Amino acid sequence: QSALTQPPSASGSPGQSVTISCTGVSSGVGAYDYVSWYQQHPGKAPKLMIFLVNKRPSGVPDRFSGSKSGNTASLTVSGLQAEDEADYYCSSYGGSNNWVFGGGTKLTV
Amino acid sequence: QLQLQESGPGLVKPSETLSLTCTVSGGSISSSSYYWDWIRQPPGKGLEWIGSIYYSGSTYYNPALESRVTISADTPENQLALKLSSVTATDTAVYYCAKGRVGAQETWGQGTLVTVSS
């Protein structure tokens, strides 16, 4: 199974919006709605930010939103804040009871 | 509130077997609502799914690791276990256990660093 493709870096100024893409093979992102996004600060465990493409867990600010079009999922962070600076990973069901992660995107605010 | 805590040796010799335990508190690992994952992250690199175990006992593994991985559950102790055999330096990573639901890892342990070196 191949990793999902994410841009290595993204950036934005405080208050702006930024979108991070996640592209997968047709058996992954494009075929299932099991797409999730994780935020990871240095030295910390990942934190779930989005699941099922566009659902937010309790406690995650509504500045974070997810979407999917065809074979590409996206995470949008609106109203950027300094604490949003972190690594972001997408994940998708890859079929045959397997899961796959993207390579990660470093977001700089 | 559900919490997960990984534990095990921080140093393993090449060709030996890496063994880790994940202790779950605040919830039962035998709940049918969840499944349990092991995920790892080499230093400075991205996340890699290792495998999952479901309440039924069914296990699923990353094809790239399947020949070397075993995930099991100790229900009375409310613990999960990960064994990875014939390790090499490329298996050096932070290993996480996580609770899965609706296709996402909802809750993560803090992770434990395992270094493979002689």
Side-chain angles (χ1 to χ4, degrees), chain A residues 1 34-36 38 40 43-48 50-52 89 91 96-104, chain B residues 35 37 39 41 45-49 52 54 60-63 96 101-106 108-111:
Chain A
Q1 73 201 47
Y34 289 122
V35 178
S36 52
Y38 303 85
Q40 187 180 34
K44 301 294 187 182
K47 174 187 175 184
L48 178 64
I50 296 287
F51 66 101
L52 292 177
Y89 293 91
S91 176
S96 302
N97 294 297
N98 284 276
W99 301 89
V100 63
F101 284 96
Chain B
Y35 54 92
D37 289 332
I39 295 151
Q41 184 173 34
K45 296 188 178 181
L47 301 168
E48 180 181 33
W49 175 74
S52 304
Y54 287 72
Y60 303 95
Y61 301 126
N62 185 326
Y96 296 99
R101 193 177 72 88
V102 292
Q105 287 83 27
E106 286 188 332
W108 296 64
Q110 64 183 35

Side-chain angles (χ1 to χ4, degrees), chain B:
Chain B
Q1 182 179 352
L2 191 79
Q3 293 187 318
L4 298 86
Q5 178 69 59
E6 305 88 349
S7 60
L11 181 65
V12 181
K13 290 182 168 55
S15 80
E16 294 189 343
T17 295
L18 177 160
S19 296
L20 296 176
T21 298
C22 174
T23 300
V24 179
S25 58
S28 171
I29 65 170
S30 58
S31 169
S32 61
S33 301
Y34 314 130
Y35 54 92
W36 306 91
D37 289 332
W38 284 95
I39 295 151
R40 69 180 183 178
Q41 184 173 34
K45 296 188 178 181
L47 301 168
E48 180 181 33
W49 175 74
I50 298 172
S52 304
I53 185 166
Y54 287 72
Y55 74 95
S56 62
S58 298
T59 53
Y60 303 95
Y61 301 126
N62 185 326
L65 301 171
E66 187 164 16
S67 63
R68 300 193 290 130
V69 174
T70 302
I71 294 174
S72 60
D74 184 339
T75 302
E77 294 296 323
N78 220 36
Q79 292 179 331
L80 307 163
L82 169 70
K83 293 188 185 299
L84 181 66
S85 64
S86 304
V87 297
T88 69
T90 58
D91 294 311
T92 294
V94 175
Y95 285 77
Y96 296 99
C97 59
K99 183 196 81 173
R101 193 177 72 88
V102 292
Q105 287 83 27
E106 286 188 332
T107 307
W108 296 64
Q110 64 183 35
T112 186
L113 174 63
V114 178
T115 301
V116 179
S117 175
S118 56

